[in-house]
Amino acid sequence: MERVTAIDSYVSELDRRLHGPRRRKADMIVEVRDGLHDAAEAVRADSPEVDPAEAERRAVAEFGPLRAVAPEFQAELAVAQAWRTAWVFAVALPLVMTLSTLLWRSTSTGVAPTPGYHELAHANDLFLVAASVGFAVALLLMHVLARRAASPVALVRVVGVGAVVTVLAMMGAGIVLAMGAPGRGTSLWGALLGGLPTLPGYGLLLYLGVRCLRLTRPRGPGAGRPSRRPAPVPSA
């Protein structure tokens, strides 16, 4: 049976405590493992009399306790998730508005909408534009905060809340507009059934927002709260 080393134990526990984008987390764990092995080799090079097990223990001790290290890495994963979420919303919302307009024109019955309906549809379009711009601004702010050594963790929560609110507002507006569509309005049940094809897309967007919120919550004993240290922002 293969012996579990101090580095293996440390990295496994760190992996268990961290939650976030899989690829970024996997890269992070590999970087930590490699860094610890390099540190252990440096200890052995400076003190050849030290056995490998002791060198690993010293490397782990120098790296820091998990209760202090894990929140630092968790903050970075939360920012990576927020970046992904804001980018998806900034791109997806204009596409949703464009596709909705094209669909509306292709299925128009020629019946003029009432002033109230027209104002509601216009307000929905303005909301989508404003939300898209807001998420684009969030991307910029994450870069600015990182450069100024400020924590972006609060912004991660803002992105999460904004994403959840945006999805719920889009779903609600879609139902109301479907029910009052000129010449082809339907009941609430009919609007819900008609919206079933869009549920996977809305579900994905909602998941991204909820994920941002979950990643900023403390997890497990000793996990601590997300670090206030600025975390690197992914480029895309």
Side-chain angles (χ1 to χ4, degrees), residues 12-223:
S12 294
E13 179 61 17
L14 179 63
D15 185 35
R16 187 187 67 81
R17 294 191 184 202
L18 297 181
H19 304 270
R22 293 182 180 180
R23 180 175 299 179
R24 182 68 192 97
K25 177 185 170 182
D27 291 343
M28 186 181 294
I29 293 299
V30 170
E31 291 171 4
V32 171
R33 187 188 300 276
D34 291 345
L36 288 173
H37 279 297
D38 290 342
E41 290 177 4
V43 171
R44 291 271 291 166
D46 292 339
S47 305
E49 72 280 3
V50 176
D51 62 77
E54 177 60 23
E56 289 200 5
R57 285 192 290 269
R58 292 186 185 182
V60 167
E62 184 178 351
F63 194 75
L66 281 169
R67 65 178 178 272
V69 171
E72 301 285 340
F73 287 106
Q74 185 60 58
E76 184 174 341
L77 289 173
V79 172
Q81 180 64 48
W83 174 272
R84 176 182 300 179
T85 300
W87 187 88
V88 169
F89 273 79
V91 173
L93 297 184
L95 292 178
V96 169
M97 185 176 67
T98 301
L99 291 175
S100 298
T101 301
L102 293 176
L103 180 62
W104 168 262
R105 290 177 178 176
S106 65
T107 59
S108 176
T109 60
V111 180
T114 64
Y117 186 89
H118 184 270
E119 291 178 4
L120 178 60
H122 183 61
N124 183 59
D125 289 342
L126 289 179
F127 172 78
L128 292 177
V129 172
S132 179
V133 171
F135 285 110
V137 170
L139 292 174
L140 177 62
L141 285 177
M142 278 187 275
H143 277 298
V144 172
L145 289 174
R147 293 195 189 101
R148 295 184 178 180
S151 172
V153 172
L155 184 57
V156 174
R157 298 191 184 102
V158 172
V159 170
V161 171
V164 172
V165 171
T166 298
V167 173
L168 295 180
M170 290 169 62
M171 295 176 69
I175 292 173
V176 173
L177 290 173
M179 291 175 63
R184 50 187 175 84
T186 183
S187 64
L188 174 60
W189 182 245
L192 292 175
L193 288 178
L196 285 179
T198 65
L199 280 182
Y202 282 136
L204 173 60
L205 295 177
L206 188 62
Y207 168 79
L208 291 174
V210 172
R211 187 74 166 157
C212 286
L213 298 177
R214 288 177 59 86
L215 293 182
T216 57
R217 284 169 31 187
R219 293 171 176 267

